[in-house]
Amino acid sequence: MSTVTGTTWNCYDSATMTPREIYGRTLAEMAKTNDKIVGLTADLEKTTAMIYFAQAFPERFFNVGIAEQDMMGAAAGLAKCGLIPFASTMAAFASMRAAEQVRTDICYQNLPVKIIATHSGISFGHAGTTHHCTEDLAIMRSFANMTVIAPADGIETSLAVRACMDIPGPVYIRIGRGFEPPVFQDENHEFKIGKAIEMNPGKDLTIICCGIAVLQSVLAAKQLAEQDGLSVRVINMHTIKPIDREAIMKAVTETRRILTIEEHNTIGGLGDAVGSVIAESGKGCVFRKHGMQDCFSEIGYAEDLYSYYGFDADGIVAKVREMMGLEFEADENWEDE
Amino acid sequence: MEKKELARYLELCKELRLKIVDVMTWSGGAHVGGSLSIVELLVMLYFKYLNVNPKRPKWDDRDRFILSKGHAAAGYIPALAMKGYFPEEELKSFNHFKSPFAMHPDCNKVIGCDASAGSLGHGLPMALGLGLGARYLKKGFKTVCLLGDGECCEGSVWEAAMAISNFKLTNVIPIVDRNHFMIDGNTEDEMALEPFADKWKAFGFDVLQINGNNIEEVDDALSKAWRMTVPTMIIADTVKGKGVDFMEGNVKWHYASADSALAEKSKESILKEYEEASRCLQ
Ligand SMILES: Cc1ncc(C[n+]2csc(CCOP(=O)(O)OP(=O)(O)O)c2C)c(N)n1
């Protein structure tokens, strides 16, 4: 397990810093004691918060200009020198523009390149579809050797950035635009790649979510407890790959209703990862995937879009209510399934 | 160019710059710097050179325009409104929920827009395809593609450049807005482009180097490009933030929002420069 210690900023700061700032500072902090860490960006050092690293360690920071494919190829080259490159750009460009470089140069050669992809999902709403990214989880999950993480907030991003150092191969960390409200108050909880975190206990239904959906699901669970007397389990599935099968199977057998929520196309992302675990188990349960329903987003500010697409607590409450009306095979005899 | 004609274009440029400031205010944030730098190019293209008809935006034989530096939508979309594709009033919705107008243009939502853009390095390959298609279909339309200088870091730009020259296309006009900045700084400090014209020449282009904020020089270059017999491109040397004195050449204004005080200050500067230019004409 990786712990967060020895930082010059404290928990109080992290509550006021944006997720981008937090990871930017975390990275600069880590690089103080590890001279193998190098940084890359493609004309987005301020936008991605690599600037903290860039200012502290100009001799091992490389801004390649607006050239994402070149950045990922160069990251592979740096890794071949025994270095640990952190490459950061917007998710759309990291996962799509440079997809083959990530797959062939980084994953195929199994190099320890850590990709920090910002502005994921529809968090950059008013920028339009070219700057949205509701495909990256699907793309990155399908690359062998790749670990895929979608932290819930800035604190978890910081924990993920530290923890990814323990992974010998490539890691893709997906964050939002950087203004998302925090879920965690401090860093005092265990963060282990591949191990989901139960945010709220429950027995009627389980929400399995990642990213911005975690905070909203926690709020929705509270609302459902108060208004409907429902006990809703909320699982923060911060690691999309490798997925925590145990947490999913526990939810299947204990709650028998599962709703996945992701700021991503419902094809290929968290929902499908969870769904295939359920299907392979042969157990029956009520299962729904909530996310972008195979469409490109409307234009608008993220907050407006989140409520329009039902990613806010109200939208999630409505989804859960809908699912509570659905039937699953009610007997406890699993042998016939 | 006759004084009367020049006065008309100066007036249109002033109007477009004022609209860019409006969009910066209404939208909550816009790429002002790179929108202000291309005003003369947009005005001369839409009000003199491009053979387009706002009443028939999808007319098959129209000239095409691709804003490859799609983030300059705050300049491009108001220019389309001024041309008459849709009411200027609609610009107020810029960036807001379900608006057709975002930071980057969507051709399925913006009437008159020929290609969606925003991810840099996509425009010139599409222009190449339009050029090849027009030639094969024996159509006479031109395709103009406006790129950012920073955008030319993308390899795909050079892949298309190589192909345009290889296929000897004379119906595609690449224009680079050489405003000397990308997001993180000056191009020469961050990722040096120079000797920039030589690179295009080495790829087989006749290069027209002009002051892209000078109406007469833009006019002259476009008229030459429209009559080209070998692949030709334009490097338009411009000032990022042109027309608003405190934004000019300052990387801080790549992307910004404005409250009413800032908008007022910006407009004052635009009007002052316009008055000076008009006075010189008399
Ligand atoms: C493929 C891609 N990478 C990164 C970006 C983010 N981005 C938007 S504008 C910009 C700088 C563009 O610089 P330049 O082309 O010189 O445009 P200008 O200075 O005229 O605004 C960047 C890096 C993008 N839109 N597309």
mmCIF file of all heavy atoms in Angstrom, chain A residues 43-46 63-68 93 97 124 126-127 130-131 297-301 305 308, chain B residues 27-28 95 97-99 102-104 117-120 122 150 153-154 156 182-184 190-191 255:
data_model
loop_
_atom_site.group_PDB
_atom_site.id
_atom_site.type_symbol
_atom_site.label_atom_id
_atom_site.label_comp_id
_atom_site.label_asym_id
_atom_site.label_seq_id
_atom_site.Cartn_x
_atom_site.Cartn_y
_atom_site.Cartn_z
ATOM 1 N N ASP A 43 2.112 21.034 -25.106
ATOM 2 C CA ASP A 43 1.602 22.407 -25.067
ATOM 3 C C ASP A 43 0.448 22.574 -24.079
ATOM 4 O O ASP A 43 -0.448 23.378 -24.306
ATOM 5 C CB ASP A 43 1.165 22.883 -26.468
ATOM 6 C CG ASP A 43 0.940 24.399 -26.536
ATOM 7 O OD1 ASP A 43 1.639 25.131 -25.807
ATOM 8 O OD2 ASP A 43 0.055 24.835 -27.296
ATOM 9 N N LEU A 44 0.442 21.811 -23.002
ATOM 10 C CA LEU A 44 -0.627 21.966 -22.018
ATOM 11 C C LEU A 44 -0.056 21.912 -20.600
ATOM 12 O O LEU A 44 -0.647 21.323 -19.711
ATOM 13 C CB LEU A 44 -1.697 20.879 -22.202
ATOM 14 C CG LEU A 44 -2.584 21.000 -23.453
ATOM 15 C CD1 LEU A 44 -3.516 19.801 -23.571
ATOM 16 C CD2 LEU A 44 -3.410 22.281 -23.451
ATOM 17 N N GLU A 45 1.110 22.531 -20.386
ATOM 18 C CA GLU A 45 1.714 22.397 -19.055
ATOM 19 C C GLU A 45 0.895 23.122 -17.993
ATOM 20 O O GLU A 45 0.811 22.658 -16.859
ATOM 21 C CB GLU A 45 3.183 22.820 -19.050
ATOM 22 C CG GLU A 45 3.435 24.297 -19.258
ATOM 23 C CD GLU A 45 4.927 24.627 -19.281
ATOM 24 O OE1 GLU A 45 5.718 23.801 -19.749
ATOM 25 O OE2 GLU A 45 5.292 25.719 -18.841
ATOM 26 N N LYS A 46 0.265 24.226 -18.362
ATOM 27 C CA LYS A 46 -0.573 24.913 -17.363
ATOM 28 C C LYS A 46 -1.904 24.188 -17.224
ATOM 29 O O LYS A 46 -2.366 23.900 -16.121
ATOM 30 C CB LYS A 46 -0.802 26.375 -17.774
ATOM 31 C CG LYS A 46 0.459 27.214 -17.597
ATOM 32 C CD LYS A 46 0.203 28.659 -17.925
ATOM 33 C CE LYS A 46 0.737 29.083 -19.158
ATOM 34 N NZ LYS A 46 1.151 29.548 -20.196
ATOM 35 N N ASN A 63 8.369 19.617 -22.948
ATOM 36 C CA ASN A 63 7.145 20.043 -23.613
ATOM 37 C C ASN A 63 7.402 19.883 -25.111
ATOM 38 O O ASN A 63 8.194 20.617 -25.692
ATOM 39 C CB ASN A 63 6.839 21.495 -23.255
ATOM 40 C CG ASN A 63 5.484 21.941 -23.762
ATOM 41 O OD1 ASN A 63 4.929 21.360 -24.689
ATOM 42 N ND2 ASN A 63 4.950 22.993 -23.160
ATOM 43 N N VAL A 64 6.742 18.910 -25.723
ATOM 44 C CA VAL A 64 7.059 18.578 -27.120
ATOM 45 C C VAL A 64 6.281 19.418 -28.135
ATOM 46 O O VAL A 64 6.343 19.147 -29.332
ATOM 47 C CB VAL A 64 6.819 17.078 -27.415
ATOM 48 C CG1 VAL A 64 7.696 16.204 -26.533
ATOM 49 C CG2 VAL A 64 5.345 16.713 -27.227
ATOM 50 N N GLY A 65 5.537 20.424 -27.655
ATOM 51 C CA GLY A 65 4.675 21.164 -28.580
ATOM 52 C C GLY A 65 3.383 20.386 -28.780
ATOM 53 O O GLY A 65 3.135 19.384 -28.110
ATOM 54 N N ILE A 66 2.558 20.850 -29.715
ATOM 55 C CA ILE A 66 1.244 20.215 -29.892
ATOM 56 C C ILE A 66 1.429 18.948 -30.734
ATOM 57 O O ILE A 66 1.182 18.942 -31.935
ATOM 58 C CB ILE A 66 0.270 21.199 -30.558
ATOM 59 C CG1 ILE A 66 0.314 22.560 -29.846
ATOM 60 C CG2 ILE A 66 -1.155 20.635 -30.520
ATOM 61 C CD1 ILE A 66 -0.367 23.676 -30.604
ATOM 62 N N ALA A 67 1.896 17.894 -30.090
ATOM 63 C CA ALA A 67 2.263 16.677 -30.824
ATOM 64 C C ALA A 67 2.137 15.475 -29.884
ATOM 65 O O ALA A 67 3.120 14.976 -29.344
ATOM 66 C CB ALA A 67 3.682 16.818 -31.363
ATOM 67 N N GLU A 68 0.894 15.014 -29.708
ATOM 68 C CA GLU A 68 0.626 13.984 -28.707
ATOM 69 C C GLU A 68 1.218 12.633 -29.070
ATOM 70 O O GLU A 68 1.644 11.867 -28.194
ATOM 71 C CB GLU A 68 -0.889 13.856 -28.489
ATOM 72 C CG GLU A 68 -1.551 15.116 -27.920
ATOM 73 C CD GLU A 68 -1.756 16.229 -28.945
ATOM 74 O OE1 GLU A 68 -1.605 15.971 -30.162
ATOM 75 O OE2 GLU A 68 -2.058 17.368 -28.534
ATOM 76 N N PHE A 93 -6.994 13.436 -26.442
ATOM 77 C CA PHE A 93 -5.763 13.340 -27.231
ATOM 78 C C PHE A 93 -4.875 12.198 -26.733
ATOM 79 O O PHE A 93 -4.193 11.547 -27.519
ATOM 80 C CB PHE A 93 -5.024 14.678 -27.221
ATOM 81 C CG PHE A 93 -5.935 15.846 -27.490
ATOM 82 C CD1 PHE A 93 -5.886 16.995 -26.714
ATOM 83 C CD2 PHE A 93 -6.885 15.777 -28.510
ATOM 84 C CE1 PHE A 93 -6.751 18.061 -26.950
ATOM 85 C CE2 PHE A 93 -7.749 16.840 -28.754
ATOM 86 C CZ PHE A 93 -7.684 17.983 -27.966
ATOM 87 N N ARG A 97 -5.920 10.381 -30.101
ATOM 88 C CA ARG A 97 -4.909 10.844 -31.050
ATOM 89 C C ARG A 97 -3.680 9.942 -30.990
ATOM 90 O O ARG A 97 -3.112 9.570 -32.003
ATOM 91 C CB ARG A 97 -4.519 12.280 -30.721
ATOM 92 C CG ARG A 97 -3.466 12.864 -31.639
ATOM 93 C CD ARG A 97 -3.892 12.741 -33.101
ATOM 94 N NE ARG A 97 -3.433 13.866 -33.876
ATOM 95 C CZ ARG A 97 -4.083 15.010 -33.964
ATOM 96 N NH1 ARG A 97 -5.224 15.173 -33.329
ATOM 97 N NH2 ARG A 97 -3.632 15.999 -34.682
ATOM 98 N N PHE A 124 -15.426 19.000 -19.937
ATOM 99 C CA PHE A 124 -15.111 20.235 -20.680
ATOM 100 C C PHE A 124 -16.285 20.521 -21.621
ATOM 101 O O PHE A 124 -16.109 20.778 -22.804
ATOM 102 C CB PHE A 124 -13.805 20.031 -21.456
ATOM 103 C CG PHE A 124 -13.047 21.302 -21.737
ATOM 104 C CD1 PHE A 124 -13.475 22.540 -21.269
ATOM 105 C CD2 PHE A 124 -11.869 21.256 -22.472
ATOM 106 C CE1 PHE A 124 -12.762 23.700 -21.537
ATOM 107 C CE2 PHE A 124 -11.143 22.411 -22.754
ATOM 108 C CZ PHE A 124 -11.591 23.628 -22.280
ATOM 109 N N HIS A 126 -18.503 22.829 -22.538
ATOM 110 C CA HIS A 126 -18.691 23.904 -23.509
ATOM 111 C C HIS A 126 -17.623 23.917 -24.590
ATOM 112 O O HIS A 126 -17.682 24.729 -25.503
ATOM 113 C CB HIS A 126 -18.755 25.249 -22.784
ATOM 114 C CG HIS A 126 -17.535 25.534 -21.952
ATOM 115 N ND1 HIS A 126 -17.222 24.812 -20.834
ATOM 116 C CD2 HIS A 126 -16.551 26.449 -22.093
ATOM 117 C CE1 HIS A 126 -16.098 25.287 -20.326
ATOM 118 N NE2 HIS A 126 -15.677 26.270 -21.069
ATOM 119 N N ALA A 127 -16.642 23.022 -24.482
ATOM 120 C CA ALA A 127 -15.622 22.950 -25.539
ATOM 121 C C ALA A 127 -16.134 22.132 -26.722
ATOM 122 O O ALA A 127 -15.595 22.210 -27.809
ATOM 123 C CB ALA A 127 -14.332 22.355 -25.010
ATOM 124 N N THR A 130 -15.051 17.596 -29.645
ATOM 125 C CA THR A 130 -13.616 17.342 -29.888
ATOM 126 C C THR A 130 -12.832 17.295 -28.584
ATOM 127 O O THR A 130 -11.770 16.689 -28.527
ATOM 128 C CB THR A 130 -12.983 18.429 -30.791
ATOM 129 O OG1 THR A 130 -13.196 19.712 -30.188
ATOM 130 C CG2 THR A 130 -13.582 18.396 -32.185
ATOM 131 N N HIS A 131 -13.353 17.955 -27.557
ATOM 132 C CA HIS A 131 -12.658 17.998 -26.271
ATOM 133 C C HIS A 131 -13.371 17.178 -25.193
ATOM 134 O O HIS A 131 -13.043 17.269 -24.019
ATOM 135 C CB HIS A 131 -12.471 19.441 -25.817
ATOM 136 C CG HIS A 131 -11.408 20.171 -26.591
ATOM 137 N ND1 HIS A 131 -11.484 20.320 -27.957
ATOM 138 C CD2 HIS A 131 -10.244 20.747 -26.205
ATOM 139 C CE1 HIS A 131 -10.405 20.995 -28.369
ATOM 140 N NE2 HIS A 131 -9.650 21.259 -27.327
ATOM 141 N N SER A 297 -22.254 14.204 -26.655
ATOM 142 C CA SER A 297 -22.946 15.100 -25.720
ATOM 143 C C SER A 297 -23.432 16.382 -26.394
ATOM 144 O O SER A 297 -22.870 16.837 -27.380
ATOM 145 C CB SER A 297 -21.999 15.467 -24.584
ATOM 146 O OG SER A 297 -22.526 16.515 -23.815
ATOM 147 N N GLU A 298 -24.447 16.943 -25.804
ATOM 148 C CA GLU A 298 -24.852 18.309 -26.135
ATOM 149 C C GLU A 298 -23.730 19.257 -25.695
ATOM 150 O O GLU A 298 -22.836 18.869 -24.944
ATOM 151 C CB GLU A 298 -26.120 18.691 -25.356
ATOM 152 C CG GLU A 298 -27.360 17.922 -25.767
ATOM 153 C CD GLU A 298 -27.903 18.357 -27.121
ATOM 154 O OE1 GLU A 298 -27.478 19.407 -27.638
ATOM 155 O OE2 GLU A 298 -28.767 17.641 -27.656
ATOM 156 N N ILE A 299 -23.853 20.521 -26.115
ATOM 157 C CA ILE A 299 -22.935 21.564 -25.676
ATOM 158 C C ILE A 299 -23.487 22.167 -24.392
ATOM 159 O O ILE A 299 -24.707 22.260 -24.219
ATOM 160 C CB ILE A 299 -22.823 22.641 -26.783
ATOM 161 C CG1 ILE A 299 -22.008 22.093 -27.948
ATOM 162 C CG2 ILE A 299 -22.219 23.933 -26.246
ATOM 163 C CD1 ILE A 299 -22.235 22.820 -29.249
ATOM 164 N N GLY A 300 -22.624 22.589 -23.515
ATOM 165 C CA GLY A 300 -23.069 23.282 -22.311
ATOM 166 C C GLY A 300 -22.019 23.199 -21.228
ATOM 167 O O GLY A 300 -21.052 22.445 -21.357
ATOM 168 N N TYR A 301 -22.208 23.964 -20.163
ATOM 169 C CA TYR A 301 -21.279 23.862 -19.040
ATOM 170 C C TYR A 301 -21.505 22.530 -18.331
ATOM 171 O O TYR A 301 -22.624 22.017 -18.299
ATOM 172 C CB TYR A 301 -21.436 25.060 -18.104
ATOM 173 C CG TYR A 301 -20.695 26.244 -18.673
ATOM 174 C CD1 TYR A 301 -21.348 27.215 -19.430
ATOM 175 C CD2 TYR A 301 -19.323 26.329 -18.526
ATOM 176 C CE1 TYR A 301 -20.638 28.261 -20.003
ATOM 177 C CE2 TYR A 301 -18.607 27.366 -19.100
ATOM 178 C CZ TYR A 301 -19.262 28.329 -19.833
ATOM 179 O OH TYR A 301 -18.558 29.336 -20.412
ATOM 180 N N LEU A 305 -24.771 19.868 -18.022
ATOM 181 C CA LEU A 305 -24.775 18.572 -18.711
ATOM 182 C C LEU A 305 -24.917 17.425 -17.717
ATOM 183 O O LEU A 305 -25.629 16.452 -17.973
ATOM 184 C CB LEU A 305 -23.497 18.400 -19.533
ATOM 185 C CG LEU A 305 -23.302 19.408 -20.671
ATOM 186 C CD1 LEU A 305 -21.988 19.143 -21.391
ATOM 187 C CD2 LEU A 305 -24.469 19.353 -21.662
ATOM 188 N N TYR A 308 -28.474 17.191 -16.917
ATOM 189 C CA TYR A 308 -29.234 16.752 -18.093
ATOM 190 C C TYR A 308 -29.079 15.250 -18.320
ATOM 191 O O TYR A 308 -30.036 14.546 -18.617
ATOM 192 C CB TYR A 308 -28.755 17.523 -19.330
ATOM 193 C CG TYR A 308 -29.458 17.148 -20.608
ATOM 194 C CD1 TYR A 308 -30.803 17.461 -20.801
ATOM 195 C CD2 TYR A 308 -28.773 16.496 -21.635
ATOM 196 C CE1 TYR A 308 -31.446 17.117 -21.990
ATOM 197 C CE2 TYR A 308 -29.410 16.155 -22.814
ATOM 198 C CZ TYR A 308 -30.747 16.464 -22.987
ATOM 199 O OH TYR A 308 -31.373 16.130 -24.162
ATOM 200 N N SER B 27 -20.134 34.103 -23.605
ATOM 201 C CA SER B 27 -19.840 32.672 -23.533
ATOM 202 C C SER B 27 -19.279 32.239 -22.194
ATOM 203 O O SER B 27 -19.298 31.068 -21.861
ATOM 204 C CB SER B 27 -18.836 32.302 -24.623
ATOM 205 O OG SER B 27 -17.617 32.973 -24.363
ATOM 206 N N GLY B 28 -18.718 33.182 -21.447
ATOM 207 C CA GLY B 28 -18.058 32.809 -20.204
ATOM 208 C C GLY B 28 -16.607 32.413 -20.422
ATOM 209 O O GLY B 28 -15.902 32.059 -19.485
ATOM 210 N N ASN B 95 -21.785 28.719 -26.058
ATOM 211 C CA ASN B 95 -21.320 27.859 -24.945
ATOM 212 C C ASN B 95 -22.426 27.393 -24.004
ATOM 213 O O ASN B 95 -22.182 26.545 -23.141
ATOM 214 C CB ASN B 95 -20.259 28.539 -24.064
ATOM 215 C CG ASN B 95 -18.871 28.477 -24.638
ATOM 216 O OD1 ASN B 95 -18.678 27.915 -25.701
ATOM 217 N ND2 ASN B 95 -17.909 29.044 -23.943
ATOM 218 N N PHE B 97 -26.154 25.861 -22.588
ATOM 219 C CA PHE B 97 -26.785 24.554 -22.737
ATOM 220 C C PHE B 97 -27.568 24.416 -24.041
ATOM 221 O O PHE B 97 -28.439 25.213 -24.339
ATOM 222 C CB PHE B 97 -27.688 24.297 -21.532
ATOM 223 C CG PHE B 97 -28.295 22.925 -21.526
ATOM 224 C CD1 PHE B 97 -27.493 21.805 -21.672
ATOM 225 C CD2 PHE B 97 -29.657 22.746 -21.396
ATOM 226 C CE1 PHE B 97 -28.034 20.536 -21.676
ATOM 227 C CE2 PHE B 97 -30.220 21.479 -21.390
ATOM 228 C CZ PHE B 97 -29.398 20.377 -21.541
ATOM 229 N N LYS B 98 -27.242 23.397 -24.798
ATOM 230 C CA LYS B 98 -27.877 23.065 -26.073
ATOM 231 C C LYS B 98 -27.694 24.117 -27.162
ATOM 232 O O LYS B 98 -28.411 24.131 -28.162
ATOM 233 C CB LYS B 98 -29.365 22.746 -25.883
ATOM 234 C CG LYS B 98 -29.599 21.382 -25.246
ATOM 235 C CD LYS B 98 -30.965 20.829 -25.578
ATOM 236 C CE LYS B 98 -31.122 19.422 -25.053
ATOM 237 N NZ LYS B 98 -32.483 18.892 -25.203
ATOM 238 N N SER B 99 -26.749 25.009 -26.969
ATOM 239 C CA SER B 99 -26.448 25.979 -28.019
ATOM 240 C C SER B 99 -25.800 25.246 -29.200
ATOM 241 O O SER B 99 -25.129 24.245 -29.015
ATOM 242 C CB SER B 99 -25.472 27.030 -27.483
ATOM 243 O OG SER B 99 -24.978 27.824 -28.550
ATOM 244 N N ALA B 102 -20.199 26.254 -29.682
ATOM 245 C CA ALA B 102 -19.302 25.964 -28.565
ATOM 246 C C ALA B 102 -17.933 26.532 -28.875
ATOM 247 O O ALA B 102 -17.732 27.147 -29.917
ATOM 248 C CB ALA B 102 -19.218 24.462 -28.364
ATOM 249 N N MET B 103 -16.991 26.308 -27.986
ATOM 250 C CA MET B 103 -15.621 26.763 -28.183
ATOM 251 C C MET B 103 -15.019 26.272 -29.498
ATOM 252 O O MET B 103 -14.059 26.836 -29.999
ATOM 253 C CB MET B 103 -14.750 26.233 -27.043
ATOM 254 C CG MET B 103 -14.653 27.152 -25.866
ATOM 255 S SD MET B 103 -14.050 26.265 -24.411
ATOM 256 C CE MET B 103 -12.400 25.888 -24.892
ATOM 257 N N HIS B 104 -15.554 25.171 -30.014
ATOM 258 C CA HIS B 104 -15.068 24.613 -31.277
ATOM 259 C C HIS B 104 -16.267 24.340 -32.177
ATOM 260 O O HIS B 104 -17.297 23.877 -31.689
ATOM 261 C CB HIS B 104 -14.283 23.331 -31.013
ATOM 262 C CG HIS B 104 -13.167 23.520 -30.027
ATOM 263 N ND1 HIS B 104 -13.341 23.311 -28.676
ATOM 264 C CD2 HIS B 104 -11.900 23.939 -30.190
ATOM 265 C CE1 HIS B 104 -12.200 23.584 -28.053
ATOM 266 N NE2 HIS B 104 -11.314 23.977 -28.936
ATOM 267 N N ALA B 117 -14.280 20.968 -36.092
ATOM 268 C CA ALA B 117 -12.855 21.077 -35.783
ATOM 269 C C ALA B 117 -12.669 21.364 -34.302
ATOM 270 O O ALA B 117 -13.632 21.652 -33.598
ATOM 271 C CB ALA B 117 -12.229 22.186 -36.618
ATOM 272 N N GLY B 118 -11.453 21.286 -33.849
ATOM 273 C CA GLY B 118 -11.154 21.527 -32.437
ATOM 274 C C GLY B 118 -9.959 20.722 -31.986
ATOM 275 O O GLY B 118 -9.142 21.175 -31.206
ATOM 276 N N SER B 119 -9.862 19.510 -32.523
ATOM 277 C CA SER B 119 -8.664 18.725 -32.276
ATOM 278 C C SER B 119 -7.684 19.123 -33.369
ATOM 279 O O SER B 119 -7.964 18.965 -34.561
ATOM 280 C CB SER B 119 -8.986 17.234 -32.337
ATOM 281 O OG SER B 119 -7.809 16.483 -32.149
ATOM 282 N N LEU B 120 -6.558 19.677 -32.974
ATOM 283 C CA LEU B 120 -5.639 20.269 -33.941
ATOM 284 C C LEU B 120 -5.010 19.224 -34.852
ATOM 285 O O LEU B 120 -4.798 18.082 -34.453
ATOM 286 C CB LEU B 120 -4.556 21.059 -33.203
ATOM 287 C CG LEU B 120 -5.110 22.258 -32.418
ATOM 288 C CD1 LEU B 120 -4.074 22.788 -31.431
ATOM 289 C CD2 LEU B 120 -5.573 23.362 -33.355
ATOM 290 N N HIS B 122 -6.331 18.195 -37.821
ATOM 291 C CA HIS B 122 -7.289 17.418 -38.618
ATOM 292 C C HIS B 122 -7.714 18.127 -39.897
ATOM 293 O O HIS B 122 -8.217 17.501 -40.819
ATOM 294 C CB HIS B 122 -8.565 17.131 -37.803
ATOM 295 C CG HIS B 122 -8.380 16.120 -36.719
ATOM 296 N ND1 HIS B 122 -9.031 14.913 -36.703
ATOM 297 C CD2 HIS B 122 -7.619 16.135 -35.609
ATOM 298 C CE1 HIS B 122 -8.674 14.222 -35.623
ATOM 299 N NE2 HIS B 122 -7.819 14.952 -34.946
ATOM 300 N N GLY B 150 1.175 27.015 -34.053
ATOM 301 C CA GLY B 150 1.432 25.957 -33.074
ATOM 302 C C GLY B 150 0.894 24.619 -33.561
ATOM 303 O O GLY B 150 1.503 23.568 -33.345
ATOM 304 N N CYS B 153 2.902 21.818 -35.210
ATOM 305 C CA CYS B 153 3.694 20.796 -34.498
ATOM 306 C C CYS B 153 3.138 19.407 -34.801
ATOM 307 O O CYS B 153 3.853 18.409 -34.675
ATOM 308 C CB CYS B 153 3.616 20.996 -32.987
ATOM 309 S SG CYS B 153 4.375 22.491 -32.383
ATOM 310 N N GLU B 154 1.860 19.328 -35.150
ATOM 311 C CA GLU B 154 1.228 18.025 -35.369
ATOM 312 C C GLU B 154 1.749 17.400 -36.664
ATOM 313 O O GLU B 154 1.729 18.034 -37.729
ATOM 314 C CB GLU B 154 -0.304 18.165 -35.460
ATOM 315 C CG GLU B 154 -0.992 18.539 -34.149
ATOM 316 C CD GLU B 154 -1.093 17.388 -33.145
ATOM 317 O OE1 GLU B 154 -0.612 16.263 -33.438
ATOM 318 O OE2 GLU B 154 -1.656 17.626 -32.058
ATOM 319 N N SER B 156 0.388 15.263 -38.574
ATOM 320 C CA SER B 156 -0.632 15.085 -39.607
ATOM 321 C C SER B 156 -0.684 16.274 -40.570
ATOM 322 O O SER B 156 -1.068 16.123 -41.726
ATOM 323 C CB SER B 156 -2.002 14.853 -38.968
ATOM 324 O OG SER B 156 -2.293 15.893 -38.056
ATOM 325 N N MET B 182 1.622 29.595 -29.000
ATOM 326 C CA MET B 182 0.660 28.532 -28.753
ATOM 327 C C MET B 182 0.159 28.744 -27.322
ATOM 328 O O MET B 182 0.081 29.903 -26.900
ATOM 329 C CB MET B 182 1.231 27.144 -29.036
ATOM 330 C CG MET B 182 2.711 26.933 -28.948
ATOM 331 S SD MET B 182 3.148 25.316 -29.682
ATOM 332 C CE MET B 182 4.887 25.478 -29.855
ATOM 333 N N ILE B 183 -0.181 27.695 -26.557
ATOM 334 C CA ILE B 183 -0.726 27.963 -25.222
ATOM 335 C C ILE B 183 0.371 28.285 -24.209
ATOM 336 O O ILE B 183 0.287 29.249 -23.465
ATOM 337 C CB ILE B 183 -1.541 26.756 -24.690
ATOM 338 C CG1 ILE B 183 -2.826 26.595 -25.486
ATOM 339 C CG2 ILE B 183 -1.881 26.962 -23.205
ATOM 340 C CD1 ILE B 183 -3.764 25.540 -24.933
ATOM 341 N N ASP B 184 1.411 27.475 -24.203
ATOM 342 C CA ASP B 184 2.408 27.601 -23.141
ATOM 343 C C ASP B 184 3.462 28.669 -23.419
ATOM 344 O O ASP B 184 4.302 28.931 -22.571
ATOM 345 C CB ASP B 184 3.076 26.240 -22.881
ATOM 346 C CG ASP B 184 2.128 25.274 -22.158
ATOM 347 O OD1 ASP B 184 1.189 25.756 -21.508
ATOM 348 O OD2 ASP B 184 2.334 24.056 -22.250
ATOM 349 N N GLU B 190 9.194 27.407 -27.254
ATOM 350 C CA GLU B 190 8.622 26.124 -26.852
ATOM 351 C C GLU B 190 8.975 25.001 -27.835
ATOM 352 O O GLU B 190 9.480 23.952 -27.437
ATOM 353 C CB GLU B 190 7.100 26.269 -26.746
ATOM 354 C CG GLU B 190 6.444 25.084 -26.067
ATOM 355 C CD GLU B 190 4.938 25.205 -26.058
ATOM 356 O OE1 GLU B 190 4.412 26.341 -26.000
ATOM 357 O OE2 GLU B 190 4.267 24.159 -26.109
ATOM 358 N N MET B 191 8.669 25.194 -29.093
ATOM 359 C CA MET B 191 8.988 24.199 -30.120
ATOM 360 C C MET B 191 9.228 24.993 -31.396
ATOM 361 O O MET B 191 8.280 25.413 -32.065
ATOM 362 C CB MET B 191 7.829 23.210 -30.286
ATOM 363 C CG MET B 191 8.094 22.096 -31.284
ATOM 364 S SD MET B 191 9.598 21.140 -30.982
ATOM 365 C CE MET B 191 9.310 20.474 -29.338
ATOM 366 N N TYR B 255 -6.870 32.300 -24.026
ATOM 367 C CA TYR B 255 -8.251 31.956 -23.660
ATOM 368 C C TYR B 255 -8.634 32.820 -22.474
ATOM 369 O O TYR B 255 -7.896 32.883 -21.493
ATOM 370 C CB TYR B 255 -8.330 30.477 -23.277
ATOM 371 C CG TYR B 255 -9.697 30.045 -22.779
ATOM 372 C CD1 TYR B 255 -10.694 29.720 -23.680
ATOM 373 C CD2 TYR B 255 -9.967 29.974 -21.418
ATOM 374 C CE1 TYR B 255 -11.943 29.331 -23.240
ATOM 375 C CE2 TYR B 255 -11.228 29.579 -20.963
ATOM 376 C CZ TYR B 255 -12.206 29.254 -21.881
ATOM 377 O OH TYR B 255 -13.448 28.873 -21.434
#
